[in-house]
Amino acid sequence: VNVYELSFGTVCGICAGVFLKKGAKALAFLFGGVFILLQYFSSLSLIRVDWAGFAARFESLFYASPSAPGGTRRPPNIYLIWTWFINFLTADFQQRASFIAGFALGLRLG
């Protein structure tokens, strides 16, 4: 990558990719720490954690609405999440192709 030939869209994509990857790592670290802390307190019988309630709440927030026969709910797949996220980031942004390339590079570098 020649640093002197990067377009505005590429630079924005790299910055967004690095931000997302670092933020995801920090969020995973935080949620992992909370999970371990809850499990530790539960093993000491200080609290009781309703994991079934957590799972039901997660599914109600993130699973797709019933569209399959029998009304079963579908979990989100990576393609739908990726498409939604890229459309969200590149809405009203002319340098879409260079942004996506820079975003992939930012995810790799971050």
Side-chain angles (χ1 to χ4, degrees):
V1 175
N2 187 353
V3 178
Y4 299 111
E5 295 180 10
L6 295 178
S7 69
F8 176 70
T10 306
V11 172
C12 289
I14 290 171
C15 293
V18 170
F19 175 79
L20 180 69
K21 189 170 181 180
K22 297 291 184 186
K25 284 182 182 180
L27 198 59
F29 181 80
L30 179 71
F31 284 154
V34 168
F35 173 76
I36 290 172
L37 190 65
L38 287 174
Q39 287 292 82
Y40 177 69
F41 287 156
S42 179
S43 71
L44 296 176
S45 299
L46 295 174
I47 62 171
R48 184 185 165 290
V49 182
D50 181 19
W51 292 117
F54 276 112
R57 175 115 187 195
F58 176 83
E59 289 175 5
S60 71
L61 288 174
F62 294 109
Y63 276 40
S65 61
S67 61
T72 59
R73 296 173 63 89
R74 296 177 292 116
N77 61 26
I78 195 69
Y79 176 75
L80 292 175
I81 294 169
W82 176 257
T83 303
W84 175 85
F85 193 69
I86 291 297
N87 288 335
F88 170 75
L89 287 178
T90 58
D92 298 329
F93 193 70
Q94 295 298 321
Q95 297 87 358
R96 185 179 175 107
S98 62
F99 176 86
I100 294 172
F103 186 71
L105 183 61
L107 286 175
R108 175 88 171 129
L109 294 176

